[in-house]
Amino acid sequence: MKLKKILSIIVSAAAAVSALAVSASAIELNKDLKTGWSISTTISGSEFADITENSVITLTYTADPSLADMPGHEYWVIKPMINDAGWPLIENIKGLEPSEDGSSYVVPVDGTEVKFCFPADKIDHIKLAGIAFMGHGVTLGELTISNDEVLPEPAPEAPKGGSDNPATGVALGGTVTLLTSAGVLVLSRKRK
């Protein structure tokens, strides 16, 4: 009886893994974009046939940390563009931080992947024309598209310095008091 239950669980787990594998597609890019802005790679529109504004795109990459010692080259960015006339930048990508001049998106030099969603108003154009990538200081790895994943919300920025809003200070003080009270309660219970 137990063997049948174990086999049933294994079969169910295998089916779940297969379903997940079918819902996410991966495209191998393996392209070193170097630093000259003359290297690019394209992905055909057919690869994006099933995307929506909620599809999570995961792009793996490797950044070249040695650029930190090269004046004028100490930045790491990707530039996703519509693979159409003029290669227009895909603006307002959710999950990516625009560069200072707004011409590309910053990737962390110590990171290995970024996750993002294309804006709704660009989806049909991407499905038709595909996308192109240029960048600086990164080697692109693999691009994965998932319709089952949810893009994580960005972490809220910590307040810098003092607060101009007295309500914020009160809320923070109340939270600290509550946490301190909870800690005291736990300690007092352990002493019994």
Side-chain angles (χ1 to χ4, degrees):
M1 186 71 166
K2 287 185 179 182
L3 183 59
K4 284 183 181 181
K5 190 171 186 175
I6 291 171
L7 288 175
S8 172
I9 292 170
I10 291 172
V11 169
S12 297
V17 168
S18 296
L20 183 60
V22 169
S23 68
S25 59
I27 302 151
E28 291 292 327
L29 300 173
N30 298 322
K31 187 66 131 184
D32 185 353
L33 299 175
K34 301 196 184 288
T35 60
W37 289 98
S38 60
I39 299 172
S40 63
T41 188
T42 60
I43 304 168
S44 111
S46 63
E47 297 287 354
F48 299 100
D50 297 325
I51 67 166
T52 69
E53 65 184 289
N54 297 316
S55 298
V56 176
I57 313 299
T58 303
L59 178 65
T60 63
Y61 69 92
T62 306
D64 181 356
S66 72
L67 297 180
D69 300 325
M70 295 179 65
H73 287 284
E74 60 271 39
Y75 64 99
W76 300 266
V77 296
I78 56 171
K79 185 174 184 177
M81 305 163 289
I82 304 260
N83 189 24
D84 207 350
W87 277 4
L89 173 70
I90 303 172
E91 296 176 324
N92 303 315
I93 296 179
K94 183 179 175 184
L96 293 180
E97 176 190 344
S99 61
E100 199 171 301
D101 67 358
S103 67
S104 55
Y105 294 93
V106 176
V107 295
V109 65
D110 57 349
T112 59
E113 71 177 27
V114 288
K115 291 179 180 283
F116 55 93
C117 296
F118 289 121
D121 65 337
K122 302 293 187 224
I123 298 294
D124 289 338
H125 202 169
I126 291 169
K127 288 180 178 183
L128 178 67
I131 63 172
F133 276 104
M134 293 180 83
H136 183 273
V138 297
T139 299
L140 302 178
E142 180 180 84
L143 184 135
T144 306
I145 303 166
S146 174
N147 288 325
D148 297 326
E149 190 175 351
V150 175
L151 187 66
E153 289 297 319
E157 286 188 32
K160 296 176 178 119
S163 173
D164 292 337
N165 182 346
T168 305
V170 170
L172 181 60
T175 303
V176 170
T177 303
L178 182 63
L179 290 174
T180 304
S181 299
V184 169
L185 180 63
V186 168
L187 286 175
S188 69
R189 287 185 184 223
K190 285 186 177 183
R191 289 184 181 170
K192 285 184 180 182

